[in-house]
Amino acid sequence: MYKNCLFSIVSLIVLVHCTKDANAQLRQLEGQEVKHTIHALLSPAVASHGNKQYFAEFNVLLSYLKPKGICVPGYFSGTRIGIESNLNMDNLILAPKLGYEMNAGVLCFRGNVISYFDNNTVDLRILPEVGITAFGVLSIMYGYSIPMLNQRSESIRRSRFTLSANIPLFQ
């Protein structure tokens, strides 16, 4: 348990550090014309909780692309909003989620707040994730969810792996 909590803390520290580095580089470029571009991305995903439970995700990501030379090529970050479900009509679980994602070349980080609705149970969790990515297009991530309430869904494990894609919608 301590290893997983340590993993969550380290993930959040790395996320904050990357954000501070990128912002410091942007401040150094003040006075120069620096343009950020905003993109809307469709971000479908499949998540496995390791107990033969698979979840389909549908997310929309509003990303802010940084200019070349900021942090690393392929760096972008943005807010995510979406829903995931196990698509099992016998025991349907729906989970709206809100998060923030950062992609920096081959590394990616996410922080999510997710609420699983399983029958009469509401299972609210914080879900930090870290993984590898092909410049933000395709990502494989490991996440460890931290329950925030006493109620827990028996179908949801703390550890999970997610395979996701980011598909541009419009600029």
Side-chain angles (χ1 to χ4, degrees):
M1 178 169 156
Y2 294 110
K3 289 180 187 178
N4 292 329
C5 287
L6 181 62
F7 168 78
S8 299
I9 291 168
V10 169
S11 297
L12 291 172
I13 290 170
V14 169
L15 185 68
V16 168
H17 178 71
C18 283
T19 302
K20 287 172 60 178
D21 281 351
N23 287 332
Q25 290 178 28
L26 284 173
R27 281 192 297 277
Q28 288 176 354
L29 293 174
E30 281 184 16
Q32 300 176 21
E33 189 172 334
V34 177
K35 294 183 180 178
H36 295 202
T37 55
I38 299 174
H39 293 260
L41 303 167
L42 178 63
S43 186
V46 176
S48 171
H49 290 264
N51 57 349
K52 297 184 182 178
Q53 281 276 14
Y54 295 95
F55 284 73
E57 292 185 33
F58 177 80
N59 300 284
V60 174
L61 171 65
L62 184 61
S63 73
Y64 306 93
L65 293 171
K66 305 297 183 195
K68 285 191 174 184
I70 303 297
C71 214
V72 295
Y75 174 82
F76 71 87
S77 61
T79 305
R80 303 169 55 89
I81 187 165
I83 190 162
E84 64 181 64
S85 175
N86 63 349
L87 303 177
N88 178 352
M89 293 305 154
D90 294 332
N91 183 28
L92 184 65
I93 299 172
L94 292 175
K97 61 195 295 188
L98 179 65
Y100 189 80
E101 178 173 337
M102 288 180 56
N103 285 275
V106 295
L107 296 176
C108 52
F109 307 95
R110 278 189 206 137
N112 298 296
V113 175
I114 186 166
S115 183
Y116 295 97
F117 293 97
D118 181 7
N119 293 326
N120 293 327
T121 303
V122 177
D123 187 350
L124 180 67
R125 296 181 183 223
I126 293 175
L127 175 63
E129 295 178 281
V130 64
I132 57 174
T133 184
F135 298 100
V137 177
L138 189 64
S139 304
I140 299 172
M141 305 186 85
Y142 169 77
Y144 183 78
S145 63
I146 303 163
M148 301 305 292
L149 302 174
N150 290 333
Q151 295 181 356
R152 296 211 177 77
S153 170
E154 292 186 23
S155 302
I156 308 300
R157 301 287 185 252
R158 289 187 183 222
S159 294
R160 70 186 255 161
F161 286 94
T162 306
L163 175 64
S164 61
N166 289 322
I167 304 162
L169 292 175
F170 58 86
Q171 290 186 1

